[in-house]
Amino acid sequence: MRTGTAGLPLHGGHAPPWLFARMVRLSRAMVEYIVTEWGPAEVLRRLSDPYWFQAFGCVLGFDWHSSGVTTTACGALKEAVKGREADLGLFVAGGKGAVSRRTPLEIAAHAERHTLAVPGEELVYASRMSAKVDSTAVQDGYQIYHHCFFFTREGDWAVVQQGMNTDLKWARRYHWLGRPDHPFVCEPHAAVCASRRESLVLNLVAAEAEAARQTAAVLAGEHPEKLSREIRRMQELTLPRHHQLLVSDLHPDSLERIFAKTYERAPGSFQEILEIQGVGPKAVRALALIAELLHGVPSSLRDPPRYAFAHGGKDGTPFPVDRRTYDHSIQVLRQTVESARLGDKDKVDAMRRLAAWSEGGRE
């Protein structure tokens, strides 16, 4: 798992209409270029890279230091692809707030209209599980409020989702690059982008938490009264600091109703626990703590975390957006893509030479 230091403070906001319209046009030109050169799966690979995504947002003209770059860049991409899905072989679902909750319906609608190599239900499952992992299995103090799901006809997919810590006024971005057999509960992220590591984290998808995951699955099949009794015992003990904070807000009576569901389902794995509706962070945390205190199986407390201007930023940093340069970039990319479609590779070759030169390479 890669980590980085791209900070995302919770200031900034929506792009003005004139800028967002250009963001959509530039996004469309860039996506068309990538698909023409390397195929739709390359778009997913790049979106899963937090450094590329951050640079992409800056090229679009959004604030480099704002959490809004995530929601705005994803929104521009969704609009850019809209109506071009069949030609590009690329689909986008979800978004911010209430829109994120429509992701399963949007995926199903795309699957119904287009021929996909995998059932739409598999993609809906991937969307739901990636959101469930980052909201329940990784307890880092950031609440997920944005979920954008990208996928191709072949069944490859990527997720860019973001959570916020309202106390700290910071955001954290979670990147996924998935495949049909993706391991959802063991180091599933392509990257987690954050400016700081938190000291009190429960990370049940860390590689070193495998024993805790297995033990939690066994405990989930225990009678709910037994589990709630163990929680009460823990709350009466004098525990280390991180346990005190993790245990303090667990309510045995309310958890007992959730444990009744796990008892009925008798999940065979930690992933199956996450699949159960109603099983949230507190139930998962309770199982992890019981596993550690009764069976000596520790969970992981490792926090999972691991830029560029072309057109300026909407807040004027480092300079105001240059509309003429912005429109010229869109025009050049459009002409390049159109030429490639007509069999003229000269402009594409020129772009390659420019990229190689900028990286210090040699033809």
Side-chain angles (χ1 to χ4, degrees):
M1 179 187 300
R2 293 171 295 176
T3 59
T5 57
L8 301 171
L10 293 176
H11 59 266
H14 302 292
W18 67 264
L19 177 56
F20 186 74
R22 284 175 167 81
M23 287 178 170
V24 172
R25 294 200 298 271
L26 182 56
S27 296
R28 183 179 297 122
M30 293 178 71
V31 167
E32 288 176 347
Y33 181 87
I34 294 171
V35 170
T36 300
E37 276 291 279
W38 300 287
E42 178 65 12
V43 178
L44 305 187
R45 188 190 69 78
R46 296 191 183 206
L47 291 174
S48 71
D49 183 329
Y51 298 103
W52 190 91
F53 185 93
Q54 194 76 16
F56 171 68
C58 292
V59 167
L60 293 184
F62 211 80
D63 312 350
W64 68 269
H65 60 320
S66 168
S67 65
V69 69
T70 304
T71 56
T72 304
C74 287
L77 277 169
K78 188 175 183 180
E79 283 297 310
V81 171
K82 189 176 181 179
R84 299 293 316 281
E85 292 91 349
D87 295 333
L88 295 171
L90 183 67
F91 307 86
V92 186
K96 180 181 177 181
V99 179
S100 68
R101 294 190 285 275
R102 298 202 297 268
T103 306
L105 295 176
E106 292 181 357
I107 294 172
H110 285 311
E112 186 176 338
R113 287 196 296 267
H114 304 276
T115 302
L116 305 179
V118 299
E121 293 81 2
E122 289 188 15
L123 296 168
V124 170
Y125 179 84
S127 169
R128 284 178 169 158
M129 282 300 293
S130 61
K132 191 71 177 283
V133 165
D134 287 340
S135 62
T136 300
V138 177
Q139 299 184 28
D140 52 10
Y142 293 77
Q143 299 300 313
I144 302 298
Y145 70 96
H146 172 272
H147 172 88
C148 210
F149 190 82
F150 305 83
F151 61 100
T152 68
R153 283 197 188 92
E154 292 68 35
D156 298 315
W157 53 270
V159 172
V160 177
Q161 60 191 2
Q162 187 157 284
M164 71 163 65
N165 187 312
T166 54
D167 293 331
L168 297 173
K169 307 300 182 185
W170 286 85
R172 173 173 287 197
R173 194 166 62 231
Y174 308 80
H175 293 257
W176 294 63
L177 181 61
R179 54 185 187 274
D181 60 342
H182 195 75
F184 285 98
V185 295
C186 185
E187 301 293 344
H189 300 95
V192 177
C193 184
S195 65
R196 50 177 281 163
R197 290 180 181 270
E198 304 299 335
S199 58
L200 294 171
V201 171
L202 178 64
N203 180 4
L204 283 169
V205 296
E208 62 269 23
E210 176 60 30
R213 289 191 291 271
Q214 293 178 4
T215 306
V218 173
L219 290 171
E222 295 280 359
H223 197 281
E225 289 182 3
K226 179 180 179 180
L227 296 177
S228 60
R229 186 167 61 248
E230 292 301 330
I231 295 171
R232 288 189 178 92
R233 286 184 64 248
M234 283 191 293
Q235 292 173 331
E236 294 171 358
L237 297 173
T238 300
L239 298 170
R241 178 169 173 266
H242 70 272
H243 279 156
Q244 292 279 17
L245 292 174
L246 290 172
V247 174
S248 59
D249 66 341
L250 298 179
H251 302 288
D253 293 337
S254 59
L255 284 173
E256 192 168 327
R257 292 191 291 272
I258 302 299
F259 290 145
K261 288 187 177 183
T262 66
Y263 180 69
E264 291 171 5
R265 285 278 297 270
S269 68
F270 182 74
Q271 185 165 327
E272 290 180 19
I273 295 176
L274 295 181
E275 292 172 2
I276 300 173
Q277 187 175 5
V279 173
K282 291 183 181 180
V284 167
R285 193 190 327 153
L287 291 172
L289 290 168
I290 294 170
E292 180 171 355
L293 290 172
L294 287 186
H295 299 275
V297 181
S299 51
S300 176
L301 302 177
R302 170 171 58 87
D303 195 12
R306 85 160 195 113
Y307 283 95
F309 279 99
H311 304 115
K314 77 173 184 64
D315 64 344
T317 305
F319 52 86
V321 172
D322 183 340
R323 301 189 191 194
R324 177 179 293 182
T325 302
Y326 205 124
D327 292 342
H328 181 67
S329 296
I330 296 171
Q331 182 182 6
V332 169
L333 279 170
R334 280 180 173 172
Q335 290 175 347
T336 301
V337 171
E338 191 60 32
S339 297
R341 286 174 177 164
L342 297 175
D344 181 3
K345 294 289 186 179
D346 288 346
K347 287 187 173 65
V348 174
D349 290 340
M351 294 280 279
R352 287 175 177 161
R353 288 194 295 272
L354 179 61
W357 174 81
S358 66
E359 294 173 1
R362 293 286 186 271
E363 289 289 350

